[in-house]
Structures are given as C-alpha cells and as structure tokens.
C-alpha cells in the first residue's frame, strides 16, 4: 500500500470514481507522446499526442488545495463519450497521462463504459 506525504492511502483515494478493472496498474508508463503545453514556459502543464492528433492535457493548478493533484482532460473532438468521464484528477503525473490515454483509447474504439443504474 502506497502512502503520500500526508499519510493518506493513495490506492483508496484513486479508486473513488474508477472500477477495479479500470485501475492504472502500478508501474504503467504513458505510450503516447507528451510534451510541455508551452515550449517557452516549461512547467506542470503537458499535452499528449497520437501522431498529429491532440488527445488530452494534464496539468497542476497552483493552489494549496490542489498541490498533490494532476488534473486531466481528454479531447474527444466531437466523438461520443460513451459514458467515459473526460476530465478528472490523479495524484501522480504518470497516472494522469495513463488515464488520459486509457479513456481516449476506449472512446476511439467506441467502447461503452458500463456504469451502474
């Protein structure tokens, strides 16, 4: 079990909105190309690409309540979301990139997310 600086159980925090089979496997690495959103201003804001297509963005907000959160947004470009959330947060930059990629791939393949009624 992994803990963050405040001693909070990270695994329990990460599972709040995701089903067990949707979890990001520890040690996972992003497969798409990620770069700083603004090349002239490196920092905590990145965009991901599948070839020339922008698939999403991950970033941090400089506020006390968000210090350990990496926010993510999936770019669907008008595609049906298939019940997949297209924004959220993770507590690690790698998990946030992997989450964008996972959601993007499901939407691109037209796979419906099963959600409870």
């Amino acid at each position: 079990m992994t803990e963050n600086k405040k001693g909070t159980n990270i695994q329990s925090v990460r599972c709040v909105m995701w089903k067990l089979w949707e979890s990001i496997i520890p040690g996972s690495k992003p497969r798409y190309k990620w770069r700083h959103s603004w090349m002239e201003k490196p920092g905590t804001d990145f965009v991901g690409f599948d070839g020339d297509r922008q698939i999403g963005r991950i970033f941090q907000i400089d506020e006390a309540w968000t210090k350990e959160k990496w926010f993510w947004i999936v770019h669907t470009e008008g595609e049906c979301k298939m019940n997949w959330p297209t924004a959220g947060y993770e507590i690690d930059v790698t998990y946030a990139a992997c989450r964008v990629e996972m959601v993007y791939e499901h939407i691109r393949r037209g796979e419906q997310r099963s959600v409870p009624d």
Side-chain angles (χ1 to χ4, degrees):
M1 203 62 60
T2 307
E3 292 187 356
N4 65 7
K5 294 176 195 164
K6 295 178 184 168
T8 304
N9 180 326
I10 292 172
Q11 194 165 11
S12 63
V13 172
R14 229 188 335 262
C15 292
V16 172
M17 82 184 250
W18 298 103
K19 298 180 179 0
L20 186 58
W21 61 86
E22 297 171 339
S23 296
I24 302 298
I25 299 168
S28 294
K29 300 288 182 202
R31 295 184 310 273
Y32 293 95
K33 181 177 178 160
W34 289 87
R35 66 169 180 82
H36 285 100
S37 296
W38 295 278
M39 297 306 271
E40 68 279 357
K41 184 183 167 191
T44 57
D45 198 320
F46 300 88
V47 288
F49 291 88
D50 178 4
D52 291 335
R53 181 179 184 178
Q54 187 172 340
I55 65 168
R57 179 177 171 212
I58 55 176
F59 58 95
Q60 284 189 308
I61 298 172
D62 192 19
E63 293 291 331
W65 65 275
T66 65
K67 284 292 183 201
E68 295 185 24
K69 295 178 179 163
W70 281 87
F71 294 89
W72 56 267
I73 300 169
V74 175
H75 296 203
T76 59
E77 297 184 16
E79 294 176 87
C80 181
K81 297 188 304 183
M82 310 298 288
N83 286 336
W84 289 97
T86 55
Y89 72 87
E90 299 287 337
I91 56 174
D92 177 85
V93 64
T94 303
Y95 284 110
C98 290
R99 179 69 62 204
V100 168
E101 293 176 0
M102 182 200 80
V103 172
Y104 165 75
E105 289 173 358
H106 284 291
I107 291 173
R108 190 183 74 191
R109 290 191 300 257
E111 296 174 356
Q112 183 78 24
R113 182 179 190 224
S114 58
V115 291
D117 292 341

